[in-house]
Amino acid sequence: MESGFCIEILSTGHPPCLIALPPGALVVGRSPRSCRLVVPDPRVSRVHLLIRRDADVGITVVDLYSANGTTLEGRRLLPGIAFHWLIDQTVKIGGTALILRYHAARSLTAG
């Protein structure tokens, strides 16, 4: 895997997966028509969460006025307000956990 930010997705009934976090905005929810990251969890709203990766601000998460809310490290997020998301912190939407990871490229050295 190349260097960069990733999201580890842990969802009941599905194997864990790791996806690269693209630059810019990433909308998360159940709707394949409205979201770039689709989470098949009935407790997740069609359009639930906005993840924004910005070189000046860092990585933020915004609850998009979802029905069941969003937590960051166990604290409920106020809808419509951006919160900083740091490496190894967990965001929960419905029964799905999203964990921000950073993977450095591995290099082999002759020894």
Side-chain angles (χ1 to χ4, degrees), residues 1-2 4 14 19-20 22 44 46 49 55-56 61 64 67 81 83 88-89 91 93-96 107-108:
M1 177 175 272
E2 291 183 28
H14 299 280
I19 64 159
V44 171
R46 281 173 284 198
L49 181 73
D56 295 327
V61 291
L64 297 175
I81 298 175
F83 292 85
D88 295 331
Q89 286 187 327
V91 168
I93 57 173
T96 301
S107 61
L108 298 175

Side-chain angles (χ1 to χ4, degrees), residues 77-108:
L77 300 184
L78 295 172
I81 298 175
F83 292 85
H84 284 97
W85 191 19
L86 303 176
I87 294 171
D88 295 331
Q89 286 187 327
T90 301
V91 168
K92 279 203 80 173
I93 57 173
T96 301
L98 308 173
I99 306 167
L100 183 62
R101 302 288 191 201
Y102 185 84
H103 285 272
R106 297 185 182 152
S107 61
L108 298 175

Side-chain angles (χ1 to χ4, degrees), residues 8 12 15 17-18 22-25 47 52-53 57 60 63 66 76-78 84 87 93 105-106 111:
E8 183 178 4
T12 306
C17 72
L18 194 66
V47 176
R52 186 174 300 278
R53 181 176 166 191
V57 179
T60 57
D63 179 88
S66 64
R76 192 169 181 91
L77 300 184
L78 295 172
H84 284 97
I87 294 171
I93 57 173
R106 297 185 182 152

